[in-house]
């Protein structure tokens, strides 16, 4: 008899706990990027969390009749029915309009939001952060979400994941535009703004039917440093171009503090080391109105941020230990904290269960293109040139050096071949750093020449056509034919004969020019003229303006349009198209004359009608 009394409540306890675990698990922020890992900074054990939340439940002090909800467990033998296991005092969808989507698949998308408990209206009672908040979502093809609901559900978020929520909406129709919204499960008067997203076409959708038969536009960004300027490039892409998918090629946030006070861009906190620091920084970046607009306008696909596999320029795990970290945090811990916060705040998928840092992945966008995202910075890169390390120049040509790591390299080559074999027209490769050899100091593929040679050889030897490499990182614009570096016996820069693809490298959203911070257009063009003269493969160089570029893709042509922002010291949408490039399918080079023979900024190798 006694035994029965004791056991029954326990059974009930675990039964009600399980429902809560399911709703915690539905929020992918708990598991990504480290599902299955138990170390600190890793996946959050949702069983433990659910127990903790229930343990914090307070004994009821109010009338329980209003609580019909399954999120309020009833304990057998005791009336805990008004013990809140979820917060019901109101939510603030912070970063309003900041709903963002990521990694779109053909029948599913990731939906993201952040909702923080607020003091109940008219009270000063501090919100109870010991229990989770419950969010409902729905997704529909109707802009007002009143019908055609394609998927809906509930999930929990909590303090443990910085109140972020990342859910996968499934059973969607390929190549379709959707609207979605979140609300508070306990009170539907707390709602998020309505966001927009889209699914990708199925991999077998004919190239000329992708995007309903219209060209598909991608906007490509890199290097957005808060303290260096306003993110006008993001806003311009959202408001002034037809961009439907947003790619970010690295340095989405910066760890340094900087001094942006003179333009109203002082970063909060300190040099980033802990997960709190990273969350605070991401939170602050997300207040920029240009970034808000871009995240609301469509799905984002991102790669990771700067550093090699065990260090950054000012912190590394060396034989001497962790003492060089300014914060005292070992670099490896710091990286895990960064990845944790990044996966909370950006709707990126964990690619494989057993590899917590892997972010390289491929998207089959109908038969029009494969979008292959590489990690040329974090994953398994050998020691790089980090200001204090000049030995790199002697190491650069060693054949055993790898920028990608050999596992990723093998995967990349297979992906290129599979893409061509399945009949995809274009192979667009998003990665962080400039691929083409440049006679200009830089931390790029120039430090991994054997690795670059292996990539070029693979393209040439396997007749892989229509490969377009996208790069960020360099804080300047560079457009090149892909060919063996500076080899005039196999490549003709005037006609492009002999090339095997094209590289579009884009400048920074805000970070200072590698030609010199705030360098004026005329002074930058002097340097650009030298660069295009010194580098055989380089066809256009521009180093003054901050900005981004778009790719507009159909089965016959892939066009790149570069955009220059006129002034990033305040929020504005004042920009212009500085250069436009055409790549015709099957030609594996820039169409001649390059950029139509003229640009509004920078220097072309052959201007006028040369090379026609
Ligand atoms: C909601 O969050 C925003 C952004 O952090 C903040 O400005 C606002 O004051 C918050 N509102 C409430 C009611 O807490
Ligand atoms: C979808 O959710 C929104 C926000 O919570 C709500 O206004 C709308 O009525 C819901 N639609 C349906 C069909 O449930
Ligand atoms: C829902 O929230 C609104 C706004 O705070 C409040 O006026 C209303 O009473 C709440 N409804 C319930 C059922 O708690
Ligand atoms: C949809 O996408 C998934 C994941 O990329 C892929 O495995 C599947 O083959 C695709 N299905 C179709 C019909 O394209
Ligand atoms: C960009 O769009 C905004 C809003 O539609 C408009 O006010 C602005 O003039 C546009 N900028 C340019 C350079 O066309
Ligand atoms: C780590 O940082 C220290 C101090 O900056 C430097 O002397 C050392 O060479 C670095 N180690 C590696 C492996 O980069
Ligand atoms: C890489 O190759 C260089 C030059 O051949 C050699 O000196 C070095 O020991 C090699 N390193 C490794 C890790 O194999
Ligand atoms: C880089 O260019 C300069 C000037 O054109 C030249 O003197 C130098 O030899 C070049 N260096 C390399 C490595 O090509
Ligand atoms: C790639 O292009 C070359 C030159 O146009 C052509 O000979 C080859 O057949 C193409 N390869 C494939 C797989 O289409
Ligand atoms: C690319 O530009 C060329 C020349 O302006 C144009 O004919 C072609 O339609 C454009 N292609 C796309 C996909 O926009
Ligand atoms: C940018 O705008 C600021 C504020 O109006 C002005 O002081 C500055 O001169 C402008 N910079 C450029 C390059 O036009
Ligand atoms: C065109 O090319 C010539 C020779 O390289 C150069 O002197 C001139 O500045 C270039 N003009 C433009 C607008 O790039």
């Amino acid at each position: 008899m006694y035994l029965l009394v004791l056991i029954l409540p326990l059974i009930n306890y675990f039964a009600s706990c399980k429902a809560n675990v399911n709703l915690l698990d539905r929020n992918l922020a708990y598991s990504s990027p480290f599902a299955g890992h138990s170390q600190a900074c890793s996946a959050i054990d949702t069983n433990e969390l659910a127990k903790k939340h229930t343990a914090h439940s307070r004994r009821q002090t109010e009338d329980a009749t209003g609580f019909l909800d399954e999120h309020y467990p009833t304990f057998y033998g005791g009336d805990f029915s008004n013990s809140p296991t979820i917060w019901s005092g109101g939510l603030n969808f912070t970063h309003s309009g900041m709903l963002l989507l990521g990694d779109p698949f053909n029948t599913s998308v990731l939906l993201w939001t952040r909702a923080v408990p607020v003091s109940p209206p008219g009270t000063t009672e501090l919100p109870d952060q010991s229990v989770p908040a419950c969010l409902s979502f729905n997704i529909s093809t109707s802009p007002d979400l009143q019908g055609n609901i394609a998927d809906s559900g509930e999930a929990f978020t909590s303090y443990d994941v910085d109140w972020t929520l990342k859910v996968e909406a499934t059973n969607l129709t390929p190549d379709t535009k959707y609207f979605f919204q979140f609300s508070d499960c306990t009170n539907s008067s707390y709602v998020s703004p309505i966001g927009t997203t889209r699914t990708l076409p199925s991999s077998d959708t004919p190239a000329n039917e992708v995007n309903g038969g219209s060209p598909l536009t991608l906007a490509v960004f890199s290097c957005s440093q808060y303290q260096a300027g306003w993110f006008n490039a993001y806003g311009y892409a959202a408001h002034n171009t037809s961009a439907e998918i947003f790619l970010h090629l690295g340095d989405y946030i910066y760890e340094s503090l900087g001094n942006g006070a003179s333009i109203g861009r002082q970063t909060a906190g300190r040099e980033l080391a802990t997960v709190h620091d990273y969350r605070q920084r991401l939170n602050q970046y997300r207040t920029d109105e240009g970034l808000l607009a871009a995240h609301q306008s469509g799905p984002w696909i991102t790669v990771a941020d700067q550093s090699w596999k065990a260090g950054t320029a000012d912190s590394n795990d060396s034989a001497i230990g962790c003492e060089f970290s300014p914060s005292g945090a070992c670099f490896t811990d710091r990286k895990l904290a960064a990845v944790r916060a990044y996966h909370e705040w950006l709707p990126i998928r964990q690619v494989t269960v057993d590899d917590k840092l892997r972010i390289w992945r491929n998207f089959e966008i109908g038969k029009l293109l494969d979008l292959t995202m590489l990690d040329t910075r974090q994953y398994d890169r050998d020691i790089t040139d980090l200001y204090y390390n000049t030995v790199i120049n002697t190491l650069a040509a060693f054949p055993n050096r790898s920028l990608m790591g050999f596992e990723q390299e093998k995967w990349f080559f297979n992906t290129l071949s599979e893409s061509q074999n399945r009949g995809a027209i274009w192979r667009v490769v998003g990665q962080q750093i400039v691929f083409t050899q440049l006679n200009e100091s830089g931390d790029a593929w120039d430090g991994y020449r054997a690795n670059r040679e292996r990539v070029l050889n693979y393209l040439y030897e396997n007749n892989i056509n229509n490969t377009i490499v996208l790069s960020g990182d360099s804080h300047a614009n560079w457009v090149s034919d892909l060919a063996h570096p500076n080899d005039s016996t196999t490549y003709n820069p005037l006609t492009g004969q002999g090339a095997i693809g094209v590289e579009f490298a884009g400048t920074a959203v805000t970070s200072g020019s590698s030609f010199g911070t705030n360098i004026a257009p005329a002074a930058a063009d002097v340097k650009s003229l030298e660069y295009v003269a010194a580098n055989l493969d380089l066809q256009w160089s521009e180093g003054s303006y901050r900005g981004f570029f778009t790719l507009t893709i159909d089965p016959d042509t892939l066009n790149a349009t570069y955009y220059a922002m006129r002034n990033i010291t305040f929020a504005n949408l004042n920009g212009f198209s500085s250069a436009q490039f055409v790549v015709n399918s099957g030609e594996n080079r820039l169409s001649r004359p390059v950029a139509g023979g003229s640009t509004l900024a920078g220097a072309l190798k052959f201007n006028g009608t040369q090379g026609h």
Side-chain angles (χ1 to χ4, degrees):
M1 187 62 203
Y2 277 116
L3 205 60
L4 201 63
V5 167
L6 271 172
I7 283 172
L8 273 178
L10 281 173
I11 290 170
N12 238 296
Y13 173 87
F14 287 116
S16 54
C17 209
K18 189 149 196 312
N20 291 350
V21 173
N22 291 343
L23 288 171
L24 287 167
D25 285 338
R26 178 116 206 218
N27 181 358
L28 301 175
Y30 291 106
S31 58
S32 67
F34 307 132
H37 286 70
S38 59
Q39 75 224 68
C41 250
S42 163
I44 290 170
D45 185 335
T46 49
N47 283 298
E48 286 303 316
L49 259 192
K51 277 189 221 163
K52 195 176 85 188
H53 293 149
T54 314
H56 274 91
S57 300
R58 291 165 311 197
R59 187 173 262 284
Q60 149 182 356
T61 54
E62 310 156 28
D63 177 17
T65 45
F67 293 88
L68 306 168
D69 195 286
E70 71 274 20
H71 306 312
Y72 295 79
T74 308
F75 286 78
Y76 186 87
D79 184 6
F80 287 83
S81 56
N82 194 23
S83 302
T85 54
I86 54 173
W87 174 250
S88 59
L91 294 173
N92 185 7
F93 288 86
T94 64
H95 311 86
S96 170
M98 244 328 293
L99 298 159
L100 53 99
L101 283 298
D103 284 22
F105 279 5
N106 47 23
T107 59
S108 69
V109 290
L110 290 184
L111 309 179
W112 188 95
T113 195
R114 182 168 182 268
V116 177
V118 292
S119 300
T123 76
T124 53
E125 186 194 335
L126 284 178
D128 179 359
Q129 301 221 346
S130 67
V131 290
C134 176
L135 304 184
S136 309
F137 73 90
N138 57 30
I139 179 166
S140 164
T141 49
S142 306
D144 63 1
L145 287 143
Q146 294 309 313
N148 302 322
I149 300 294
D151 194 15
S152 60
E154 293 181 347
F156 283 1
T157 182
S158 66
Y159 173 84
D160 310 84
V161 287
D162 204 16
W163 304 104
T164 59
L165 184 82
K166 191 160 62 163
V167 288
E168 181 158 19
T170 55
N171 299 319
L172 308 180
T173 308
D175 213 5
T176 301
K177 182 172 181 172
Y178 283 98
F179 303 88
F180 63 96
Q181 190 172 35
F182 292 94
S183 64
D184 182 339
C185 301
T186 69
N187 185 337
S188 59
S189 65
Y190 293 103
V191 291
S192 72
I194 292 174
T196 307
T197 189
R198 59 167 300 147
T199 46
L200 291 184
S202 296
S203 47
D204 55 1
T205 300
N208 60 4
E209 290 175 19
V210 165
N211 201 31
S214 302
L216 185 69
T217 303
L218 315 180
V220 186
F221 307 93
S222 62
C223 304
S224 33
Q225 190 182 48
Y226 186 86
Q227 62 265 32
W230 293 76
F231 298 154
N232 300 335
Y234 293 140
Y236 196 90
H239 293 294
N240 304 77
T241 76
S242 57
E244 285 149 301
I245 297 176
F246 295 78
L247 296 191
H248 201 288
L249 300 178
D251 291 341
Y252 180 89
I253 62 164
Y254 279 72
E255 291 162 339
S256 58
L257 207 45
N259 184 355
S262 64
I263 55 165
R265 302 283 277 185
Q266 184 58 56
T267 45
R270 55 173 188 167
E271 162 114 16
L272 308 185
T274 65
V275 72
H276 167 80
D277 296 335
Y278 280 95
R279 286 167 170 169
Q280 181 184 38
R281 188 61 54 84
L282 282 157
N283 188 324
Q284 184 177 25
Y285 271 54
R286 293 288 184 76
T287 60
D288 181 278
E289 60 197 73
L291 183 56
L292 294 181
H295 273 306
Q296 243 179 321
S297 305
W300 279 53
I301 295 172
T302 59
V303 299
D305 276 356
Q306 183 160 5
S307 65
W308 56 285
K309 63 186 173 184
T312 65
D314 57 6
S315 128
N316 66 59
D317 285 0
S318 66
I320 310 155
C322 305
E323 65 196 79
F324 297 108
S325 168
S327 61
C330 288
F331 179 75
T332 303
D333 291 343
R334 190 182 182 190
K335 182 158 100 176
L336 286 173
V339 177
R340 162 93 255 157
Y342 194 76
H343 279 255
E344 286 168 357
W345 279 80
L346 285 166
I348 193 171
R349 281 171 203 269
Q350 181 186 11
V351 180
T352 61
V353 175
D354 58 351
D355 192 341
K356 58 188 181 293
L357 296 181
R358 176 179 159 185
I359 53 165
W360 25 285
R361 58 215 193 280
N362 187 58
F363 301 90
E364 296 178 349
I365 305 185
K367 300 271 183 186
L368 184 61
L369 74 146
D370 276 67
L371 175 62
T372 307
M373 300 297 284
L374 299 181
D375 184 357
T376 46
R377 273 187 163 174
Q378 289 268 16
Y379 184 70
D380 197 16
R381 180 182 185 179
D382 290 329
I383 188 166
T384 186
D385 199 345
L386 295 169
Y387 316 117
Y388 51 79
N389 188 341
T390 46
V391 75
I392 193 83
N393 285 326
T394 54
L395 296 176
F398 287 1
N400 52 13
R401 281 173 58 76
S402 173
L403 180 55
M404 295 188 263
F406 288 103
E407 192 195 337
Q408 183 180 193
E409 188 171 327
K410 200 172 119 213
W411 173 88
F412 176 43
F413 293 160
N414 285 340
T415 302
L416 288 170
S417 288
E418 276 171 24
S419 170
Q420 177 142 297
N421 293 342
R422 79 179 186 88
I425 294 178
W426 300 98
R427 275 150 288 287
V428 176
V429 181
Q431 52 93 53
Q432 290 101 324
I433 61 180
V434 177
F435 185 85
T436 300
Q437 181 167 315
L438 291 178
N439 183 359
E440 186 250 358
S441 66
D443 169 31
W445 283 79
D446 278 348
Y448 303 81
R449 283 173 221 150
N451 197 167
R452 174 169 57 205
E453 208 48 31
R454 286 195 294 277
V455 173
L456 289 168
N457 286 339
Y458 193 87
L459 295 175
Y460 278 115
E461 285 164 14
N462 296 282
N463 284 315
I464 308 273
N465 292 323
N466 292 346
T467 302
I468 309 294
V469 174
L470 312 180
S471 319
D473 176 63
S474 76
H475 305 181
N477 291 314
W478 314 96
V479 172
S480 308
D481 286 324
L482 287 184
H484 289 297
N486 286 339
D487 181 355
S488 59
T489 62
T490 57
Y491 165 72
N492 179 341
L494 188 62
T495 63
Q497 284 303 313
I500 193 64
V502 170
E503 176 176 30
F504 293 112
T507 194
V509 169
T510 58
S511 306
S513 173
S514 54
F515 291 24
T517 300
N518 297 329
I519 188 170
D525 289 355
V526 170
K527 287 178 183 259
S528 284
L529 274 172
E530 288 169 13
Y531 290 136
V532 294
N535 297 285
L536 196 69
D537 312 315
L538 180 66
Q539 295 287 337
W540 182 63
S541 160
E542 192 283 314
S544 173
Y545 291 100
R546 309 301 81 202
F548 69 104
F549 64 98
T550 59
L551 293 185
T552 305
I553 309 171
D554 73 13
D556 302 319
T557 46
L558 180 149
N559 294 353
T561 305
Y562 280 74
Y563 291 95
M565 300 299 110
R566 285 207 162 86
N567 195 328
I568 58 164
T569 66
F570 64 101
N572 64 74
L573 294 172
N574 189 357
F576 64 100
S577 158
S578 58
Q580 286 169 284
F581 303 87
V582 176
V583 184
N584 293 316
S585 176
E587 290 191 348
N588 297 330
R589 58 174 171 81
L590 293 158
S591 173
R592 267 45 182 187
V594 171
S598 73
T599 61
L600 292 181
L604 284 167
K605 187 188 294 292
F606 303 108
N607 54 33
T609 55
Q610 281 168 292
H612 214 343

